[in-house]
Amino acid sequence: MDTPTAPWRPPRFWRAAQVFARFLVALLARLEVSGDVPAELRRGPLILAANHISPFDPIVLAAACQVRGVAPRIMATGGLFRAPVIGALMRHAGHLRVDRGTAGVHRALDDAAAAVARGSVVLVYPEGRIGLDPGLWPERGKTGAARLALACGAPIIPVAQWGSHEVLPYRTPEGMLPGIARSLLRRPVIRVRFGDPLDLHDLTHGAPGAARQGTDRIIDAITDTLVPLRSDEPDRPRHVDPGRPVDTSRAHRRRPPG
């Protein structure tokens, strides 16, 4: 866990990796970034909450954040950290390990809270997995992102992305090479939009129901940010991945306006 000493600063390795991510995304797709991160928040403390639709998402978001001058620490599955080479690189870049389905998952929130306290930008996927909604709309979220925001009091910005599902299939590495070959030829458009900062200050950390209310607001904000990115695909995506299962058990029902 981080200790509250000197403010954390992204290592040069991670900054260089973001530049490489931009090159890689440009090779396979056309990246369009809209919205912005206020200048005073780009170095943190800040929480970015993004939808999750493809294994390609972390590379896309690393590139999009580089465009906006942000170097986030990504909360990522523990499996990546256990990989021989990738794990070492993830740790060196300062990313945060999440061991889902274990008792250690709670330690991830403590680590993230310490990271935010040291001035980091932390990127989290509130859905907790690659979404399985048949329309690829954000699913009902896990409460971790809201609990983190409420505990830290840090600003939270919704981030929506669309198009990365056309590059890498859900079951990557299965089908990865055909997906890359198709992308090299077609170069699909990948859109990323940074939304407006979300205000959760009316919710009290630890109060009954506060984490759930905050989570629903975060998912609503991501959904609102996503709407203009897929205006020509409002119901179902044109690109269908036959290997992606469908699960409607976590469908997110938007709260009524007002």
Side-chain angles (χ1 to χ4, degrees), residues 132-214:
L132 301 180
D133 178 82
L136 290 190
W137 287 101
E139 298 180 318
R140 185 175 73 249
K142 302 287 188 178
T143 59
R147 285 187 285 138
L148 174 62
L150 293 174
C152 298
I156 184 165
I157 288 181
V159 185
Q161 57 184 325
W162 187 246
S164 59
H165 60 293
E166 298 189 37
V167 177
L168 291 184
Y170 174 82
R171 297 193 185 279
T172 295
E174 179 184 332
M176 181 175 69
L177 292 181
I180 290 175
R182 182 177 59 248
S183 295
L184 285 169
L185 292 173
R186 296 181 53 206
R187 298 190 69 248
V189 176
I190 296 179
R191 301 180 177 93
V192 177
R193 181 171 179 81
F194 294 89
D196 296 327
L198 187 61
D199 186 7
L200 299 181
H201 287 99
D202 61 312
L203 301 178
T204 302
H205 177 53
R212 185 72 259 164
Q213 291 179 55

Side-chain angles (χ1 to χ4, degrees), residues 14 39 85 98 103 114 120 124 127 143 151-152 158 163-164 178 195 202 245:
W14 176 223
V85 177
V98 183
S120 297
V124 61
E127 296 165 277
T143 59
C152 298
S164 59
D202 61 312

